[in-house]
Amino acid sequence: MALEKKYDFRQTEAGKYEKWKAKGYFRAGDTSKQRFSMVIPPANVTGKLHIGHSIDNTIQDITCRYKKAKGFDVLYLPGVDHAGIATQAKVDAKLNSEGTNRFEIGREAFLKECYAWKDSYSHIIHEQWAKMGIMVDYSRERFTLDEGCIKAVNKVFVDLYNEGLIYRGERIVNYDPVMKTALSNIEIIYKEDEGEFFYFLYRFVDIDHEPLIIATTRPETMFGDVCVVVNPKDKRYKDVIGKKVINPANGEELPIIADDYVDISFGTGAMKCTPAHDPNDFIIGKKYGLEHPVIMNTDGTMTEKCGKYAGMDRMECRKLLVKQIEEDGNLEKIEHFKHQVGHSERSDAVVEPILSKQWFIKMKPLADRVLENQASAKDKVNFFPKRFEKVLKQWMSNCDDWCISRQLWWGHRIPVYYSKTTNDILVSAQKPTDMENWVQDEDVLDTWFSSALWPFETLGWPDETEDFKRYYPLDCMVTGYDIIFFWVARMVFQGLHFTDKAPFKDVIIHGIVRDSQGRKMSKSLGNGVDPIDVINEYGVDSLRYFLATTASPGQDMRFSEEKVKAANNYLNKIRNSARFILMNIPEDYKNLEAKDVDKKKLSLVDKYILTKLENVIKRITKAMDSYEYGIASNLLYNFVYDDYCSFYLEMSKVTLKDENSYKEGTYFTLLYTLKAVLMMIYPFSPFISEEIYLNLPVHKDSIMLESYPELDKSLVFKSSIKKVEALKAAIEAIRQYKVNNSLAPNEALDISLKANFDFKPLSKYLSRYSFAKSLTLVKEDKEGTSSIVLPELTLFIEDSVNKDELKAKLTKDLEKIESELKRSESMLSNERFLSKAPKQKVDLEKEKFEMYKAQFEEIKKKLENL
RNA sequence: GGAUGUUUAGCUCAGUUGGGAGAGCAUCGCCUUUACACGGCGGAGGUCAUAGGUUCAAGCCCUGUAACAUCCACCA
């Protein structure tokens, strides 16, 4: 299909993805090539993909397409995540809206609902991957709850248990009373909430003493208080240590003990201690062998220990309890203040620290291994940008044990069995054969437990499969900085522990996409940008280009419709350059390789653009190799606009129009340059690239089979640069002259030109682009004309410009040159510059100096002659 | 309290080994010249937050300061 005048991205995109997929171009497995492997961060089956996924997938796909074009056997493995708590929250909500809940329908029916949910959303996710154009190998797609992943998860659990790295313990954990499950520390989001600080009177037992005043933000936990703690150095309370006070909530007696944990300056300096509902209190409780009564249920209601408040919700209890204490005359005051309150990441409920029995991973030895590994040069994980390694290290050097059990149903069931008759525990990947005598642990594992194994479980581990042997460890991982400790850190320690290798060599970290005002996109603000809307409006090529090039690595970006539009215009520009070239090249011309062209047929401007091209290929390749897509795209953008379109394509019209011996060289140069540009824009915007590619006179079945351009030394002609730059400067100077003198751009002028090289081969270009009436090459200055002095040449324009104006213009030019000359001169007269700067720089400066000097003399002479 | 990032044109942002400041949008003037008006040509607009330091040379390296942002840890 020929290229139509109008760029219609819908038509451009249509059918291409399906073709690539059907022809197997996404498949890895060519073992004759060097491998490059990557896995997609498994998409949560909770809902549609948002723009955060788009940037993730775009960077991954650019990397993969680039590597494939560079000749690698690329594996880009897709998959989805069951996303335990997140999905369960959605399914719970769905059941609620239907007037039922999971407990009513039971575990089996609930899981069925979950699978149905997963199926429908993984379908949507597939559609979105296709829309984004990512080259994932569908033949290797995985799901965190598929058979292989279950096998891996069970093995890891059992092994860690046997090594003593997984244990079951009774500890304070953060409980989500809505989802009714324990959470790990990093699933808590601290938010500033309006809070109340209640000051209560604790009256003394037996002795006559002013009551103690103790403040709390959570009065309901007073039912679980076991003592009052003061600092032993606190003079105010020196005399009351060992005495007893009355708990105003329930009238129980509380001993006063001393521990230097208490901050003298905070509050009243006296603290109530609730070992079962506060992690710090728990530590104190343990230290002094105190009781730890649990006064709150996991659903946020009060236990029977709370007397008449039993069964009541914690917030309701708080309200009524405060009222009761006030009535008893034990309320001193209430202060309002802002404080940080932990919320559940998923349900947004205020989390409650509750003592309960959970499964944990002992982090210290695993984390130490990560730190050790990062310290060694050999197998360390390289972060791009580097600074993010610090986030990993920081987290690894002070992380608590990881609570991995969740009181949910959707997920990997913990492979632990309790005997019905004895106290035996069986930790095993396989169900016991006499299952009737056992009860399996009710809980499931934290979603991140399986995600942590993603780089190797997807390749067949724990089996020594061909894929595992060939593609592990991965070459690269792409993800956002917000997920480094949720995911990256855990993959690294599990990888090191179970495969003895870091799971990937490089990690590319990107920022998040914010809204146009710089705010984080969120459901509550309703400011999210749906990538599908953007694609429908501007096309996926433009969206990808925008996402990959707008911010520098690791930096957040603002979504900007103007920039997506600008990307669209850019792609249209490339497309039209192709249209122009294909229009002008004879149908039977098929030379696209450097070896195909007779170098003698290349004109100076052909040589110039080829030399520029080879230079830009070199620089872009270097940027691509270090995942610097912003820099790479910027280099290409400048080349496309300034060198390729604005200059070369315009110049080529001269040789294309007339019969001349350079015509063939121009055909070659046009096609060669176009193809190189295409290949360099292709990883960013594959659809439009494919469309243009398939219109080239010589092409393979798809651009996906084509190679990235390589630097071809036989097409580098350094001597062309200076001469053609002079031509360029001359054209620009004449254009400028016309604008400055209010002449129409196509005003025909008589121009003479004096150059210090043979300008003849270039004169036809200058004639055309200056709309010259005549262009005469001269050896001497032309008197009585306007003169423009440029490096390497001087222009004389016959025009009715008066002497005064010319004089003013030349004086201005002279001043400018003079200041440059001075700058250059001072540098060159600086001994230390001459002795310390690299020779290259010194030579360059000397050259500049000579050039300025020549120009200076030329202008000065002209002024004198006037 | 600890850590990181940002501060460059009116706005949003690039600027990688330190060697004459760039883009998009906006703005002003000119042009429908047969690739592109989703365009072309030309222009205006920046003591690169601030104070020092290193260097022949600093937007870039080092130190301090300020403002903003983010993450971690947080006192009942």
Side-chain angles (χ1 to χ4, degrees), chain A residues 122 129 409:
Chain A
S122 64
W129 284 343
W409 289 353

PDB file of all heavy atoms in Angstrom, chain A residues 122 129 409:
ATOM      1  N   SER A 122      -7.744 -10.463  32.687  1.00  0.00           N
ATOM      2  CA  SER A 122      -6.541 -10.783  31.907  1.00  0.00           C
ATOM      3  C   SER A 122      -6.858 -10.653  30.418  1.00  0.00           C
ATOM      4  O   SER A 122      -5.974 -10.335  29.617  1.00  0.00           O
ATOM      5  CB  SER A 122      -5.948 -12.140  32.273  1.00  0.00           C
ATOM      6  OG  SER A 122      -6.821 -13.165  31.974  1.00  0.00           O
ATOM      7  N   TRP A 129      -2.097  -4.811  26.017  1.00  0.00           N
ATOM      8  CA  TRP A 129      -0.734  -5.100  25.552  1.00  0.00           C
ATOM      9  C   TRP A 129      -0.676  -4.970  24.032  1.00  0.00           C
ATOM     10  O   TRP A 129       0.279  -4.414  23.479  1.00  0.00           O
ATOM     11  CB  TRP A 129      -0.316  -6.523  25.956  1.00  0.00           C
ATOM     12  CG  TRP A 129       0.054  -6.670  27.395  1.00  0.00           C
ATOM     13  CD1 TRP A 129       0.368  -5.663  28.266  1.00  0.00           C
ATOM     14  CD2 TRP A 129       0.157  -7.897  28.136  1.00  0.00           C
ATOM     15  NE1 TRP A 129       0.660  -6.197  29.501  1.00  0.00           N
ATOM     16  CE2 TRP A 129       0.542  -7.558  29.450  1.00  0.00           C
ATOM     17  CE3 TRP A 129      -0.026  -9.236  27.815  1.00  0.00           C
ATOM     18  CZ2 TRP A 129       0.749  -8.515  30.442  1.00  0.00           C
ATOM     19  CZ3 TRP A 129       0.182 -10.197  28.799  1.00  0.00           C
ATOM     20  CH2 TRP A 129       0.563  -9.844  30.108  1.00  0.00           C
ATOM     21  N   TRP A 409      -8.377 -15.546  51.068  1.00  0.00           N
ATOM     22  CA  TRP A 409      -8.620 -16.822  50.390  1.00  0.00           C
ATOM     23  C   TRP A 409      -7.972 -16.893  49.021  1.00  0.00           C
ATOM     24  O   TRP A 409      -7.678 -17.941  48.494  1.00  0.00           O
ATOM     25  CB  TRP A 409     -10.141 -17.044  50.255  1.00  0.00           C
ATOM     26  CG  TRP A 409     -10.786 -17.333  51.569  1.00  0.00           C
ATOM     27  CD1 TRP A 409     -10.150 -17.544  52.758  1.00  0.00           C
ATOM     28  CD2 TRP A 409     -12.181 -17.441  51.836  1.00  0.00           C
ATOM     29  NE1 TRP A 409     -11.061 -17.783  53.756  1.00  0.00           N
ATOM     30  CE2 TRP A 409     -12.324 -17.725  53.211  1.00  0.00           C
ATOM     31  CE3 TRP A 409     -13.324 -17.330  51.051  1.00  0.00           C
ATOM     32  CZ2 TRP A 409     -13.564 -17.900  53.827  1.00  0.00           C
ATOM     33  CZ3 TRP A 409     -14.576 -17.500  51.643  1.00  0.00           C
ATOM     34  CH2 TRP A 409     -14.675 -17.779  53.037  1.00  0.00           C
TER      35      TRP A 409
END
